[in-house]
Amino acid sequence: MAKIAFIGLGNMGGGMAANLAKAGHDVQAFDLSQDALTRAVERGCKQASSADAACEGAEAVVTMLPAGKHVAQVYRDQVFGKAPTSALLIDCSTIDIATAREVEEQASAQGYTMVDAPVSGGIAAAEGGTLTFMVGGSEEGFRRAREILEKMGKAVIHAGGPGAGQAAKICNNMLLGASMAATCETFVLAQKLGLDPQTFFDISSKASGQCWSMTSYCPVPGVGPETPADRDYEGGFAAALMLKDLKLAMEAAQQSGAYTPMGGEAEELYQRFVERGGGSKDFSALIKMIDDSWKVTDHQ
């Protein structure tokens, strides 16, 4: 098994690192949070004193960090020159495409093979090892990364060259954010028209209006399979993270000249929801803002 440096042990990274350790890898873990480090050690990882120390002698470096500025800083100051050039570099953060490509260019210039491999699936999938990885980079980088990523996910897909993983991730999440907003609006309208939510779900989930946001992640408590809506919208994928991804998508759309009115509307809705204090709730809790009269206990 490989010696893997894992930097960034938050809600997603903690579960991912634990799955690598469970698979038998020697995981040298580091995070600025001592609590996160302690949890990682309890789950089979080894604590590194710093990111630099974690990278020493590593065969692979995996990062899961909040934003592009953090990724650029960590690789520039704590990975390049610290990890052997033979180490594969895998960034699983969700960041802007320009920074992903810039960091990968810097890695290549210093003799490293690097891929961007953002994820889809949320906290539960990170814990359960069922994430989907969208990988950008060379064929060689993808081949090497797949052996590691498969220990943390159910699907590992090569999206294309450097930055393509990030492009796929933000496009996917723009679609998810917009479809969830439409799903929330639809259930509110159905209720106001006198339709029972479960009855409407039974109809629409088998008709042309069905989508993942309805059939697998219904925003109405007690309707469909269990979702964060059944836990007062706790856990899952935080609305603040959805807003972050939508902002990345709108930035990419502006830079590429793409017209994305639905994505823009979704960003505006999530911006208002986060400003009203919903940032830590699951993104499906948007339904509570779309109709303030919606009672989350009505259908439990």
Side-chain angles (χ1 to χ4, degrees):
M1 289 289 110
K3 181 178 182 181
I4 300 174
F6 203 110
I7 303 169
L9 303 166
N11 289 332
M12 297 293 291
M16 294 165 65
N19 281 320
L20 288 176
K22 183 179 178 181
H25 290 297
D26 176 7
V27 180
Q28 301 290 319
F30 180 75
D31 193 280
L32 293 175
S33 166
Q34 184 57 52
D35 288 343
L37 270 172
T38 299
R39 287 193 295 272
V41 170
E42 290 172 349
R43 301 178 69 181
C45 301
K46 297 177 183 176
Q47 179 174 331
S49 59
S50 65
D52 306 48
C55 291
E56 292 178 7
E59 296 170 67
V61 177
V62 181
T63 49
M64 191 64 165
L65 301 166
K69 63 181 181 181
H70 304 108
V71 172
Q73 184 271 323
V74 165
Y75 277 92
R76 181 184 64 244
D77 298 341
Q78 298 173 292
V79 178
F80 296 154
K82 310 298 190 302
T85 55
S86 58
L88 174 66
L89 310 182
I90 306 173
D91 180 40
C92 294
S93 318
T94 297
I95 64 173
D96 61 286
I97 299 168
T99 298
R101 288 175 175 164
E102 179 182 350
V103 174
E104 289 183 49
E105 287 174 5
Q106 293 170 354
S108 180
Q110 297 198 40
Y112 294 98
T113 297
M114 183 175 183
V115 298
D116 52 288
V119 307
S120 178
I123 297 172
E127 292 289 332
T130 58
L131 292 166
T132 293
F133 289 90
M134 296 155 264
V135 186
S138 66
E139 289 285 353
E140 177 199 357
F142 173 70
R143 177 184 56 78
R144 293 175 62 189
R146 182 168 55 189
E147 297 178 7
I148 294 171
L149 298 177
E150 285 178 341
K151 305 303 182 184
M152 301 182 284
K154 64 178 181 180
V156 182
I157 303 167
H158 193 195
Q166 299 296 346
K169 171 64 184 287
I170 63 174
C171 288
N172 178 77
N173 277 24
M174 184 180 78
L175 179 58
L176 175 61
S179 66
M180 179 56 77
T183 300
C184 291
E185 290 179 0
T186 300
F187 270 104
V188 170
L189 176 61
Q191 182 195 39
K192 289 183 179 297
L193 293 176
L195 290 170
D196 175 75
Q198 181 64 57
T199 300
F200 174 66
F201 174 89
D202 293 341
I203 294 169
S204 193
S205 64
K206 297 177 178 61
S208 57
Q210 70 86 22
C211 62
W212 187 89
S213 292
M214 171 181 284
T215 56
S216 298
Y217 215 83
C218 186
V220 183
V223 176
E226 183 179 352
T227 68
D230 299 302
R231 303 186 294 274
D232 193 27
Y233 303 95
E234 296 295 337
F237 184 53
L241 294 178
M242 173 55 79
L243 177 60
K244 169 196 167 185
D245 289 356
L246 287 168
K247 286 184 178 296
L248 289 173
M250 292 306 97
E251 178 185 337
Q254 183 177 29
Q255 292 173 350
S256 64
Y259 179 48
T260 54
M262 294 296 289
E265 289 294 331
E267 180 199 9
E268 189 272 336
L269 282 169
Y270 279 100
Q271 182 71 58
R272 281 198 284 136
F273 184 57
V274 169
E275 289 173 352
R276 290 176 57 168
S280 64
K281 290 288 189 179
D282 182 75
F283 77 109
S284 62
L286 184 70
I287 195 170
K288 299 174 71 175
M289 185 190 78
I290 289 175
D291 181 9
D292 285 335
S293 68
W294 186 271
K295 306 298 184 184
V296 298
T297 58
D298 283 353
H299 308 291
Q300 289 181 316

